[in-house]
Amino acid sequence: MEGVHKHYGILLASLAIIAAALPCCSSQTTRRFQFNVEWKQVTRLCTTKQLLMVNGQYPGPTIAVHEGDNVEINVKNRIAQNTTLHWHGVRQLRTGWADGPAYVTQCPIRGGQSYTYKFTVTGQRGTLLWHAHYAWQRASVYGAFIIYPRIPYPFSHQIQAEIPIIFGEWWNADPDEVENVMMITGAGPDSSNAYTINGLPGPLYPCSNQDTFIQTVEYGKTYMLRIINAALADELFFAIAKHTLTVVEVDAVYTKPFATTSIMIAPGQTTTVLMTANQVPDFTGMFVMAARPYLTSVFPFNNSTTIGFLRYKNARTWKGKSPVDPSSLKLPNLPEMEDTAFATKFSDKIKSLASPQHPCNVPKTIDKRVITTISLNIQDCPENKTCLGYKGKSFFASMNNQSFVRPSISILESYYKNLTTSSFSSDFPEKPPNNFDYTGGDPLTQNMNTKFGTKLIVVPYGTNIEVVLQDTSLVNLENHPIHVHGHNFFIVGSGFGNFNEAKDPKRYNLVDPPERNTVAVPSGGWAAIRIKADNPGVWFIHCHLEQHTSWGLATGFIVQNGQGPSQSMLPPPQDLPSC
């Protein structure tokens, strides 16, 4: 495999250098980064195209900080189009101005302009990600966001090195144009042409033998894999041949360790695992690693597999063009694409560490419960227009039959300045407008046209709010990764079928539920999350399948200021972009 891309080996080395260089003292440090959003020519899958990147890197540069650090990231927009960046999973305590979703917490950064995101990383440590939050730019604009702890890890393994593994998708076409065609025609989107590991598709795709991720390891050493799903449209299964993965953290929150032969990871989620290189390689010196989609949708999808390799150091290595015949690359421990049973079993194993040093502060009681359906919708086609969705209609998506519409100005700025505006309202329905068999009815005859608007939930500071996310069979049952900005939450319960408000809360886990920022709502089921609304500002809630957000599967909530400055939003920065 001479000439195979190894640039993430360089990143791995740089992470080790960064980790060693970052001070672990108690004094607060400011970390400054320069991000230039720009086009760069890239070749993948026999196709050369202009790809949107940060600092000419794909994936983008890693941000590495310690918990408690101040962070300043100056973003220079060097393209003609608008852009924003989002620091996915960073709580942004009182600094919603730095959160990033366009027209929710800021107006976009216009071409030729700059904006400095300033925030403090408080009470968090582990693996997160950052990505663009404008149109479909996050198809290629993303990277790792690593927060190093100021106290030792809560596990005893000696870590030889850290290996970032970032999943993404590659389109031969322009992803923004894919979105534009989807919205204009009302049809489903074209799927990507490949999945990638650290920007590399691997040898199962055309012209990609040289674009393969290979990571060298040493026998007997333990490695920390920081796994990130930055894909635009797919939950993914991941496994390494003959190796066991021990899950120790998800979404930058420590978990009770458990061993598994593979994982399921939804877009926007992170999973940190420990892997010991304890297998004896064959004559190739290689073990295959692979990711492929977890399928729950009826829409056309990319059913391919991306692979990379672990290469054991000092093993006899194959000198040919490919380490093995691709047709023989079968991982018995990699779940089949429709293996909901594995996805469910894996998710159920994730529990908060709930130790004295890392407590699980799940709200035991609630002040408000919001039950919201998550639906795909078929919308009647307007007069004098041709729609290419099902039966000549258009596809949309909704929560409680409300499709979220981004206003033309920032919601946060309108709210903070108390502007007289019709850009949003505070009357998001807190229960489904119609009762029906959400997961068992006919997916088409029960479908209803959605309503369009910008309706939010408003709660006082300190409210314990429970949100029940109910999947529906409208169009089809589907797993939905729902991301909440500005807050972590606890997944206190989940199940299949329809949520029963009288019975299901009785079996909640209020001891060690997983704490996350993105929940994979079961296909044909529900998930109940509890949030301590202690971060004043305006916060986006949306599906992290990008086409669903484009169709309106989103809402948001406002947390009002509490008592005194420490419970109130900070004022907007002077360089906040204007619309």
Side-chain angles (χ1 to χ4, degrees):
M1 289 283 285
E2 298 300 323
V4 171
H5 278 283
K6 302 171 187 173
H7 62 259
Y8 256 68
I10 298 172
L11 174 57
L12 174 60
S14 68
L15 280 181
I17 294 170
I18 291 170
L22 290 176
C24 288
C25 54
S26 59
S27 61
Q28 200 169 47
T29 302
T30 298
R31 310 286 175 195
R32 294 182 174 88
F33 303 85
Q34 178 64 47
F35 274 24
N36 299 315
V37 179
E38 55 197 4
W39 296 104
K40 185 177 179 181
Q41 187 168 284
V42 175
T43 301
R44 295 286 189 276
L45 274 69
C46 321
T47 299
T48 299
K49 58 179 283 189
Q50 290 292 108
L51 194 67
L52 192 62
M53 301 185 193
V54 167
N55 295 356
Q57 299 178 41
Y58 171 60
T62 293
I63 292 178
V65 301
H66 270 106
E67 59 176 310
D69 282 350
N70 297 319
V71 182
E72 296 183 6
I73 306 160
N74 179 260
V75 178
K76 173 72 172 179
N77 185 6
R78 292 184 171 178
I79 65 173
Q81 297 90 338
N82 292 336
T83 194
T84 68
L85 296 184
H86 168 55
W87 322 100
H88 184 112
V90 176
R91 288 199 60 200
Q92 297 293 352
L93 290 171
R94 303 171 59 221
T95 53
W97 310 106
D99 194 42
Y103 303 109
V104 178
T105 60
Q106 70 166 94
C107 299
I109 307 170
R110 300 178 188 178
Q113 296 186 354
S114 299
Y115 177 46
T116 301
Y117 293 89
K118 297 180 180 180
F119 52 90
T120 301
V121 178
T122 304
Q124 293 182 278
R125 76 287 302 165
T127 307
L128 295 172
L129 68 152
W130 61 265
H131 60 77
H133 216 303
Y134 183 87
W136 283 20
Q137 290 178 355
R138 75 175 179 90
S140 58
V141 180
Y142 57 81
F145 193 115
I146 297 172
I147 307 168
Y148 288 101
R150 291 189 177 273
I151 59 175
Y153 293 123
F155 37 84
S156 58
H157 295 78
Q158 183 174 352
I159 308 302
Q160 174 71 9
E162 301 175 19
I163 303 172
I165 296 180
I166 309 178
F167 302 127
E169 291 179 87
W170 170 271
W171 273 263
N172 288 333
D174 178 359
D176 280 349
E177 185 61 22
V178 173
E179 182 197 24
N180 290 337
V181 171
M182 177 188 82
M183 297 305 294
I184 291 171
T185 65
D190 290 339
S191 58
S192 61
N193 297 95
Y195 299 107
T196 58
I197 302 176
N198 296 338
L200 303 171
L204 300 187
Y205 296 102
C207 308
S208 298
N209 276 355
Q210 301 305 308
D211 293 328
T212 300
F213 173 64
I214 297 179
Q215 177 62 53
T216 300
V217 297
E218 293 185 56
Y219 183 85
K221 304 294 186 180
T222 297
Y223 296 83
M224 177 184 286
L225 312 186
R226 296 185 180 273
I227 305 171
I228 298 168
N229 188 349
L232 218 63
D234 288 280
E235 299 91 346
L236 296 168
F237 293 122
F238 171 73
I240 302 176
K242 298 185 179 181
H243 288 72
T244 298
L245 309 175
T246 299
V247 176
V248 294
E249 172 221 307
V250 296
D251 292 5
V253 180
Y254 295 130
T255 65
K256 289 182 171 65
F258 68 91
T260 182
T261 55
S262 53
I263 70 169
M264 193 282 279
I265 184 168
Q269 290 185 335
T270 64
T271 304
T272 299
V273 304
L274 304 182
M275 182 213 68
T276 300
N278 56 7
Q279 299 298 308
V280 178
D282 61 14
F283 69 96
T284 68
M286 305 278 203
F287 289 95
V288 65
M289 62 176 74
R292 67 175 168 218
Y294 167 40
L295 173 63
T296 61
S297 174
V298 298
F299 287 96
F301 74 105
N302 181 343
N303 67 349
S304 63
T305 300
T306 178
I307 67 169
F309 296 94
L310 287 184
R311 170 190 280 146
Y312 273 61
K313 188 177 180 180
N314 298 325
R316 293 178 59 193
T317 55
W318 179 247
K319 299 298 184 181
K321 294 182 179 179
S322 179
V324 286
D325 177 4
S327 65
S328 68
L329 294 175
K330 296 180 180 179
L331 271 72
N333 54 321
L334 186 65
E336 295 298 325
M337 286 189 293
E338 297 180 275
D339 196 343
T340 293
F342 174 84
T344 303
K345 184 178 179 181
F346 176 78
S347 296
D348 288 347
K349 288 181 180 178
I350 301 173
K351 309 290 184 185
S352 288
L353 187 57
S355 69
Q357 270 192 322
H358 304 285
C360 179
N361 296 316
V362 55
K364 298 295 196 296
T365 61
I366 59 172
D367 303 306
K368 177 193 287 286
R369 174 178 286 145
V370 176
I371 300 176
T372 178
T373 53
I374 302 170
S375 303
L376 303 182
N377 298 78
I378 297 174
Q379 199 79 2
D380 291 338
C381 193
E383 292 185 10
N384 302 318
K385 181 181 177 181
T386 300
C387 297
L388 301 182
Y390 183 77
K391 289 190 174 181
K393 298 187 178 185
S394 294
F395 290 115
F396 280 95
S398 64
M399 299 179 74
N400 276 351
N401 213 46
Q402 298 287 326
S403 279
F404 187 84
V405 177
R406 290 179 181 82
S408 57
I409 59 175
S410 162
I411 299 173
L412 180 59
E413 191 169 1
S414 296
Y415 169 70
Y416 181 83
K417 295 180 178 179
N418 198 24
L419 300 178
T420 301
T421 176
S422 59
S423 62
F424 71 93
S425 61
S426 58
D427 55 347
F428 179 83
E430 297 184 2
K431 290 196 174 183
N434 298 291
N435 292 319
F436 59 97
D437 184 358
Y438 304 118
T439 57
D442 185 279
L444 299 174
T445 59
Q446 285 188 329
N447 206 338
M448 62 191 84
N449 288 318
T450 185
K451 297 180 180 178
F452 298 92
T454 312
K455 297 178 181 292
L456 308 178
I457 304 164
V458 179
V459 297
Y461 182 93
T463 298
N464 290 335
I465 181 172
E466 178 177 304
V467 180
V468 178
L469 301 158
Q470 173 70 64
D471 187 29
T472 71
S473 59
L474 303 188
V475 180
N476 74 280
L477 299 168
E478 187 166 352
N479 185 287
H480 294 274
I482 302 298
H483 174 48
V484 177
H485 288 233
H487 296 75
N488 277 4
F489 54 74
F490 297 88
I491 308 171
V492 295
S494 63
F496 291 100
N498 301 326
F499 174 73
N500 187 314
E501 195 168 359
K503 296 180 180 180
D504 286 326
K506 295 178 181 178
R507 58 186 182 90
Y508 281 175
N509 176 7
L510 299 180
V511 177
D512 58 357
E515 181 181 350
R516 308 203 70 145
N517 61 62
T518 304
V519 55
V521 179
S523 176
W526 56 272
I529 64 174
R530 287 192 175 181
I531 305 168
K532 181 74 170 182
D534 58 359
N535 192 8
V538 176
W539 307 107
F540 202 27
I541 302 174
H542 64 101
C543 184
H544 227 263
L545 302 177
E546 202 63 33
Q547 68 269 31
H548 292 179
T549 299
S550 297
W551 284 336
L553 208 168
T555 184
F557 68 116
I558 294 174
V559 180
Q560 298 171 327
N561 284 340
Q563 299 296 318
S566 66
Q567 297 181 0
S568 301
M569 287 180 57
L570 292 172
Q574 291 185 345
D575 64 339
L576 184 72
S578 59
C579 288

